[in-house]
Structures are given as structure tokens and as C-alpha cells.
Amino acid sequence: ILSEPNHTCLVGGLCGEKKMAGVVRTDVMMVTPWLAPIVWNGAFNIDILNAQFHKRDVRIGLTLFALKKYTVFLKNFIETAEKYFMVGHKVHYYVFTDRPQDIPSLSLAEGRTLNVTEVTSYKRWQDVTMRRMQIISENCLQRFIYEVDYLVCADVDMIFSDHVGVEILSDVFAAIHPGFFQLPRQKFTHERRPESQGFIPKDEGDYYYTGCYFGGTVEEIYKVANFCHNAMMADKAKNIEALWHDESYLNRYFLYYKPTKVLSPEYVWNNYYGSSVYVPSKRFVHVEKDYVRIRSD
Ligand code: UD2
């Protein structure tokens, strides 16, 4: 099949003088079995995507939870986000904290705002991470729906180190956990107890998704967060807690309501896993932390 110069060939990748679309990698999966794109470097043309999203004047909300000592991560997170995250688009940072006095004042580019909301904390770190789902779902109904089009929900102990833009946006997206992308499903650390609301049978589970990064339209994120919060509360009533907390409930949700876009581990990397030939760009990376110290009161 031939195409005009400057247009993408339907067969054989690229043609014409100007590169219009993506590189097809043969060493990694680029599309899920339900035909959702898996986002890798080079697979998209950011200029085309930016033009599409600018036309819609899209507004992107980024939810961040910085409770107790985790406020220390906020400065680097926001400063690197200003450099790499959705540059040129409208961004609203929604920071939830129990220590508003510890939130540093940061200068933001035009079209970007930061809002701090005080929330109550929990003694156990597991409750702090799980209750994020409750707060996200409540805020979807109370304000996000009126203020933004898409939500990106991220852990705060992270930094951006390369471009992350509108290529991630879709009705609902999930990110593959960097520790599991080369492993067979039997190795996934899903919740395996049938009595838990996070249960995934051993012969099911498409990918192992990270709990630290997901997003989508406000409508879809409401469904995700509401499901995870209700599942957690149902388990709590039975004195069960899923193995990896909100991450387990999230994986359960995505098994039955598949993401419309999946982010490759470029979009969430952890240097604990060293480097990988499959992941040349590390765009959003976990900050190393002393778990005991940072989680202590
Ligand atoms: C832990 C689990 C992970 C998953 C995740 C929940 C390990 C090794 N991994 O990842 O599998 O269950 O938790 O998404 O334990 N936060 C606060 N203050 C706190 C505690 C947490 O603000 O005192 C917020 C903060 O935004 C943080 C997020 O909750 O980034 C997740 O907590 P974490 O960073 O301690 O979790 P992590 O990455 O060790």
C-alpha cells in the first residue's frame, strides 16, 4: 500500500521526507490483546498530539498526597514536573496534606496552578496510601469534574527526568510496574485469597500495574477510585487487607475494566531494578527513600 509523500505508509512503517508517526519496535509489545496502545518512546508524534489536545484546550489535574514526612518530596516533584510534565498545557496540581504549613511556595509556569487541601492523616502508612482512593473519588464529584478534563494520580516520592505529555492521556490509563514487565503472570504479586475484594485467580491478570501512577477522564477515575475504596472497606469489614493495598484493588479493577491505554515502564521506573535495554528513556522515577524513617511519626 502506497501513500503520498509526507504521509505514513500503512505497510512498512515510515515513508516520505518527514517522519509523521511512530517507530514500530519488535522487541516489546506495543498493543494489548484488547487493542489498547502500549506507550513507548518513538511510537507517537508529540507535535500531532499536542495540536489535537490544544484544540480541545484540555485541562489536566495532577493529584498528589504528601502526608506526614512525605511533604519533603513535594519540592522536587513539582520542580521537575514544571520542566517535563504536560509542558504548554493547563495543569492543576491538587496537593492533599495534613501539614499545609510545610508545603513550600513554588513558582509555576503560566497556565499552571497549585491548590492545597488539608486532610486528616492515618496512623498506619497502609491506611494513608489506601485512603487516597476515598479522597480522589469524593473530590471527583465535588470539584475535579468542574475544574479539569483529565486526572493523573501519582505517588509524591517521584521525580520527572524526561518528557511526559499528552501521549499518556486516554479514557483510563494504567502503568506497568517496572519490576514485572519481563515476568510471566504466575509471578505477579496479585492478591490470591478469594475472600478478598482484590482477588485475581492465578491464571488471570494481563499485566501487573503499579499503584503509584494511573489516570484518565474524571468520570473514569471516579469509577476506579470508588471501586478501590469500596473494595478496601468491604475487606476491612472482614478484617482482610489486600497484599499490596490500593495497588491490589487497582489491579483487580483493571482486570475486569481494561485500561484504554497502557504506559510502558518508561513512565514509571525504579532504579532499584537497575537499567534495562528495553527501557531507554526513564521519564518518571522513584526517589530512593529510607522506608522506616520516612514512615515513622
Ligand atoms: C508501597 C508498596 C506498593 C503499593 C504502594 C501503594 C512497598 C515496598 N511497596 O509503595 O506495592 O502498595 O505502597 O500505592 O511497600 N504517603 C504519604 N505519607 C505517608 C505514606 C504514604 O503521603 O506517610 C503517600 C505518598 O503520596 C506516597 C504514597 O502514599 O508516595 C505511597 O506510599 P509509599 O511511597 O510509601 O509507597 P511505596 O512506593 O513504597
Side-chain angles (χ1 to χ4, degrees):
I1 300 170
L2 297 175
S3 68
E4 294 298 312
N6 295 336
H7 285 72
T8 312
C9 289
L10 295 182
V11 168
L14 304 171
C15 69
E17 287 155 28
K18 198 172 154 202
K19 282 190 176 184
M20 293 295 288
V23 171
V24 175
R25 281 177 64 172
T26 52
D27 57 338
V28 291
M29 275 176 90
M30 300 210 50
V31 67
T32 68
W34 57 94
L35 297 180
I38 304 179
V39 187
W40 292 96
N41 189 25
F44 54 88
N45 181 317
I46 193 61
D47 298 331
I48 297 175
L49 288 171
N50 273 335
Q52 294 287 304
F53 281 87
H54 276 308
K55 239 184 245 169
R56 291 162 54 195
D57 201 18
V58 79
R59 301 159 300 169
I60 302 137
L62 175 52
T63 65
L64 282 174
F65 290 78
L67 285 93
K68 301 199 255 188
K69 291 184 179 162
Y70 280 62
T71 50
V72 297
F73 296 113
L74 207 56
K75 186 169 187 291
N76 273 348
F77 186 109
I78 303 281
E79 282 179 356
T80 57
E82 284 295 291
K83 217 165 151 193
Y84 294 115
F85 180 75
M86 303 289 170
V87 173
H89 293 276
K90 287 186 177 145
V91 173
H92 298 264
Y93 299 101
Y94 293 105
V95 176
F96 297 92
T97 185
D98 58 336
R99 299 181 180 179
Q101 68 284 2
D102 289 356
I103 305 301
S105 75
L106 297 155
S107 62
L108 306 177
E110 203 189 324
R112 300 168 78 103
T113 59
L114 188 149
N115 177 272
V116 177
T117 303
E118 191 165 353
V119 290
T120 45
S121 188
Y122 290 86
K123 181 123 195 70
R124 297 168 65 242
W125 68 267
Q126 295 91 333
D127 289 321
V128 174
T129 87
M130 286 191 294
R131 289 287 176 159
R132 291 182 293 176
M133 292 297 189
Q134 179 179 15
I135 295 168
I136 291 169
S137 70
E138 287 170 0
N139 276 273
C140 279
L141 300 178
Q142 288 161 9
R143 59 187 304 197
F144 298 154
I145 193 73
Y146 304 109
E147 297 177 5
V148 291
D149 305 300
Y150 289 95
L151 280 174
V152 176
C153 307
D155 273 14
V156 75
D157 53 326
M158 309 279 303
I159 53 162
F160 291 90
S161 48
D162 205 341
H163 163 92
V164 174
V166 293
E167 74 278 4
I168 69 171
L169 299 179
S170 189
D171 282 358
V172 59
F173 70 81
I176 297 176
H177 191 298
F180 295 86
F181 75 103
Q182 296 187 84
L183 298 182
R185 78 156 49 113
Q186 293 74 22
K187 295 267 168 76
F188 295 171
T189 53
H190 287 142
E191 172 56 62
R192 301 298 186 194
R193 291 169 295 175
E195 59 272 29
S196 168
Q197 298 293 310
F199 173 61
I200 294 183
K202 263 214 148 31
D203 56 352
E204 289 187 56
D206 306 299
Y207 304 101
Y208 189 78
Y209 302 109
T210 178
C212 78
Y213 196 34
F214 60 93
T217 60
V218 177
E219 292 86 345
E220 289 301 321
I221 294 309
Y222 171 74
K223 292 182 207 163
V224 173
N226 194 44
F227 168 87
C228 291
H229 177 61
N230 289 338
M232 186 270 283
M233 292 305 280
D235 272 5
K236 198 177 165 64
K238 291 194 285 179
N239 223 4
I240 305 172
E241 191 167 87
L243 182 62
W244 290 110
H245 322 106
D246 38 314
E247 187 169 272
S248 297
Y249 300 117
L250 194 69
N251 272 274
R252 162 79 184 217
Y253 182 86
F254 287 139
L255 173 60
Y256 298 107
Y257 302 93
K258 310 259 190 234
T260 53
K261 209 174 248 187
V262 171
L263 307 187
S264 74
E266 282 174 23
Y267 286 87
V268 180
W269 190 255
N270 191 331
N271 287 324
Y272 170 80
Y273 301 110
S275 54
S276 166
V277 286
Y278 297 105
V279 188
S281 310
K282 294 167 182 64
R283 303 169 183 284
F284 189 42
V285 183
H286 284 271
V287 175
E288 214 179 302
K289 63 185 189 271
D290 176 342
Y291 277 94
V292 176
R293 201 190 58 76
I294 199 77
R295 286 173 177 169
S296 65
D297 285 330

